[in-house]
Amino acid sequence: MEKRLFYLVLLCLIVSCKSHINKSENKGQIDIKVSKIDIHPVEFKINNSSYMGFSGVGKDSLYFFDEFFNHYYHISLDGKIGKKQGGLGRGPGELPVKNPLEVRYCVSNNSLIALGGTNDIFIMNQMTNAKRIGYKMDEADVVSYDSATSYTLWPEIVADCDGKYFYYNVQGNDDAVGIMRSDYYEKAALLMRVDINSGEVEPIGHYSTYYAENRDKLKHLPFYYFDVAENGDIYVTHQADPLIYRYDSDFNLKRAFGFDGIDMNTEYSNPGSTQEQFMEAYEKDMQGAGFYYWVHHINGYTFRSYKKQGVESQDGLQIYKGETLIGDVEVPANFKVIGYIKPYFVTKIICDEENERAKFYKFKL
């Protein structure tokens, strides 16, 4: 009886704090079943590594790709390092691109896809020979929200693949399509979609209507995160939007669900009208406000990570089963769930370059 009363009170408190959420959009429910997760850190060391790179989940293990040496490693659930593969070069199993911008393993076609720096991607099937795919794009001097040439990379690159396309986040690269434009959050694309066979590229997606309607309040918090689920649906979360958006592969909205994280400071600064005011508000809120910084969907669960009170605060992790919030728990900093390796959910690898160590977290539900 006491337990049920606790959940009822919690539900009332959460719902009462959601007055700014568009209830016609939000299809989510709250049914708290998880109050804590038992998190196991797994630390490991890779000899002769730069400890700079990319990580994710392959078929049955984590992987780490060293962006300096182009070395690829399998990492087991207990932190054991597999055989070193790859390297920089044009030989069998080597990748001929120095310092790739992002690397993802695509489970659906057993390939490694690297984002190059000259409008290209490199695909390595079965970890054998790498093939360069150059972009096919309109080179005309056209500046518009629909043109691939109008976009550039974010400082923090998020990428994913589905066997046919490689996706990564982009931002407007010109004053004509820049963030300071009054129509940016209505018309700007979110992702670059690259056909991994033909090289054809297309900017797709858009910011949420919540961002478009609150542009003057939130324009200094433009980051967003996405994940391509097993069925091709694309899940998107924005820094300062309480909803999670589920789109189909053509970016048609299917559902929207979600609630504010616990103890999040959502009293955001005024970004003003000048570049100086914009940057001042951004720096202040990155240090002291709450914001979402990761989303991943796997096995019917959606995990969303967030900061409560800025970069120095305790982080939170929301757990949704379908569209129902079943848990909101405290987690270590930079906790980014990246996949499932039976019987554990696992996070991206966190590298400590100075001490030449690395770690990830695993947990069960």
Side-chain angles (χ1 to χ4, degrees):
M1 181 66 183
E2 290 181 358
K3 187 175 183 180
R4 290 185 61 188
L5 179 60
F6 167 77
Y7 287 143
L8 180 61
V9 172
L10 178 61
L11 174 62
C12 293
L13 287 174
I14 293 176
V15 171
S16 68
C17 296
K18 309 301 179 225
S19 57
H20 64 284
I21 296 177
N22 186 337
K23 292 181 174 61
S24 64
E25 272 192 279
N26 187 9
K27 307 299 191 300
Q29 303 292 328
I30 300 175
D31 183 13
I32 301 298
K33 299 179 181 298
V34 180
S35 59
K36 183 180 180 181
I37 56 176
D38 190 10
I39 299 171
H40 301 273
V42 180
E43 297 189 1
F44 59 93
K45 180 178 178 65
I46 303 175
N47 294 327
N48 301 316
S49 172
S50 71
Y51 289 94
M52 297 183 294
F54 315 102
S55 63
V57 170
K59 285 187 174 181
D60 55 6
S61 68
L62 286 95
Y63 67 83
F64 177 71
F65 185 92
D66 190 310
E67 67 179 89
F68 186 80
F69 297 109
N70 281 10
H71 290 154
Y72 180 88
Y73 302 90
H74 290 284
I75 315 293
S76 70
L77 281 173
D78 56 3
K80 292 182 179 178
I81 314 300
K83 179 179 67 174
K84 180 175 66 178
Q85 297 175 268
L88 177 61
R90 299 184 179 277
E94 294 180 330
L95 191 66
V97 54
K98 189 174 182 180
N99 299 120
L101 300 173
E102 176 62 270
V103 175
R104 289 285 294 181
Y105 177 80
C106 190
V107 175
S108 59
N109 59 6
N110 192 25
S111 63
L112 202 67
I113 303 178
L115 178 62
T118 55
N119 289 333
D120 53 13
I121 59 174
F122 292 79
I123 302 175
M124 188 180 295
N125 293 315
Q126 308 290 331
M127 293 303 295
T128 54
N129 294 322
K131 178 182 179 182
R132 179 183 180 273
I133 306 294
Y135 288 1
K136 293 180 181 178
M137 56 198 302
D138 184 7
E139 296 295 338
D141 188 20
V142 177
V143 178
S144 77
Y145 286 116
D146 297 324
S147 173
T149 58
S150 297
Y151 295 92
T152 188
L153 295 166
W154 284 104
E156 179 185 0
I157 300 172
V158 181
D160 209 344
C161 56
D162 61 8
K164 182 179 179 181
Y165 296 108
F166 182 69
Y167 305 81
Y168 56 92
N169 53 339
V170 290
Q171 61 174 316
N173 66 359
D174 188 273
D175 289 342
V177 294
I179 288 175
M180 298 300 287
R181 281 183 57 101
S182 61
D183 62 353
Y184 186 84
Y185 290 104
E186 295 179 27
K187 298 181 179 180
L190 295 186
L191 309 177
M192 196 64 69
R193 182 171 70 180
V194 185
D195 188 310
I196 64 175
N197 294 305
S198 68
E200 294 180 354
V201 298
E202 178 186 10
I204 66 168
H206 49 78
Y207 279 88
S208 66
T209 55
Y210 183 80
Y211 255 74
E213 293 169 356
N214 292 278
R215 180 256 178 191
D216 291 339
K217 299 178 181 178
L218 302 177
K219 65 182 178 182
H220 64 300
L221 300 170
F223 294 109
Y224 52 89
Y225 301 86
F226 76 97
D227 178 57
V228 180
E230 303 98 312
N231 66 351
D233 285 352
I234 302 171
Y235 288 75
V236 176
T237 191
H238 303 272
Q239 270 187 310
D241 187 337
L243 294 180
I244 298 171
Y245 298 88
R246 178 187 173 195
Y247 301 92
D248 66 17
S249 57
D250 292 320
F251 230 88
N252 298 305
L253 181 63
K254 296 176 74 171
R255 306 288 281 184
F257 61 96
F259 302 91
D260 284 331
I262 294 175
D263 294 332
M264 283 186 71
N265 174 17
T266 58
E267 296 296 323
Y268 298 120
S269 303
N270 183 355
S273 58
T274 67
Q275 189 71 35
E276 292 75 15
Q277 292 170 324
F278 177 98
M279 290 306 302
E280 182 180 348
Y282 169 77
E283 292 173 1
K284 181 178 179 180
D285 285 349
M286 285 298 94
Q287 294 297 319
F291 53 89
Y292 304 102
Y293 67 81
W294 191 253
V295 67
H296 187 77
H297 180 86
I298 187 74
N299 289 3
Y301 294 94
T302 302
F303 299 92
R304 178 165 63 165
S305 306
Y306 65 95
K307 297 288 182 183
K308 293 176 179 287
Q309 305 282 336
V311 295
E312 299 300 326
S313 68
Q314 179 74 46
D315 287 7
L317 176 71
Q318 292 186 328
I319 306 168
Y320 294 85
K321 178 67 173 178
E323 298 170 1
T324 300
L325 178 66
I326 65 168
D328 194 328
V329 299
E330 290 193 345
V331 292
N334 301 317
F335 195 92
K336 299 178 178 179
V337 177
I338 197 62
Y340 179 78
I341 304 171
K342 190 176 181 178
Y344 291 99
F345 291 96
V346 295
T347 70
K348 287 180 74 71
I349 293 171
I350 301 172
C351 291
D352 182 348
E353 300 169 40
E354 183 177 349
N355 295 306
E356 296 187 341
R357 301 289 298 179
K359 67 180 177 183
F360 64 90
Y361 299 101
K362 62 183 182 181
F363 63 95
K364 297 178 182 178
L365 285 180

